Amino acid sequence: MSARTHGVPLLLSINVPVSGAFASTSLGHIAPEVGYWIQPDLLLSAQGRLQVVTGPTEIDAGNGHGYSPPGWAIALFAKASYYFGAGSDSFRPFVSGGLGGGQIRHVVTLGAFKDCGASRNQTCVDSVVAGPALADVGGGFLYKLSPLFGIVASTNLETAAPKFTFN
């Protein structure tokens, strides 16, 4: 059975249900952040999140038109981070939380569809979008290089609604 309706891949014309799961981003993301210390232990910041999406296959509609899957997703967060230890310490652990908006994408394989790619003979791989309402909790460590700059190692958990996900 072909996954096409009137020359257009079925993937483009219907919503294919995908079961939810806990997942990490495929390649990863960069998350630049700038902030202002309102107290020695409290940082308010704005963080951008640019996710690179790798792995989805192109869809050939068979009528000379191809459809490329999104290669990125963007989100923005307003965050608060609480730092432990004295403000003069070079090494400080922290916890953080934030609210934001945008998109998070997860790559999914649609095994029932096998007519993707340039030759229309590959298993279809697409990305599922989550959002636009986002929340973030995390923690990590700050190593201060100077009073204005530092290196941060952290991990975080993001959740999205109404298109739900954990990331």
Side-chain angles (χ1 to χ4, degrees), residues 2-166:
S2 174
R4 297 183 182 281
T5 58
H6 300 35
V8 177
L10 189 58
L11 269 156
L12 297 177
S13 60
I14 65 169
N15 287 324
V16 178
V18 177
S19 62
F22 184 86
S24 62
T25 54
S26 297
L27 177 61
H29 62 271
I30 58 171
E33 185 172 355
V34 294
Y36 182 76
W37 294 94
I38 61 170
Q39 295 179 4
D41 57 357
L42 185 59
L43 176 71
L44 296 182
S45 61
Q47 180 185 59
R49 181 183 187 279
L50 177 61
Q51 176 187 353
V52 178
V53 181
T54 59
T57 52
E58 290 193 14
I59 299 171
D60 183 347
N63 58 5
H65 297 303
Y67 300 92
S68 297
W72 48 272
I74 296 175
L76 299 171
F77 290 92
K79 294 179 71 172
S81 300
Y82 182 80
Y83 287 78
F84 301 96
S88 60
D89 293 348
S90 294
F91 183 77
R92 298 183 70 189
F94 68 91
V95 293
S96 65
L99 296 174
Q103 295 182 339
I104 296 172
R105 289 190 166 273
H106 295 285
V107 175
V108 294
T109 301
L110 304 167
F113 299 99
K114 308 225 184 271
D115 62 346
C116 289
S119 300
R120 295 181 13 208
N121 64 352
Q122 295 177 337
T123 299
C124 296
V125 179
D126 203 350
S127 64
V128 176
V129 68
L134 304 172
D136 172 281
V137 295
F141 302 94
L142 165 69
Y143 182 75
K144 290 169 52 175
L145 299 173
S146 76
L148 297 176
F149 295 99
I151 295 174
V152 174
S154 67
T155 187
N156 61 336
L157 173 68
E158 297 157 340
T159 188
K163 295 182 180 175
F164 182 74
T165 190
F166 276 117

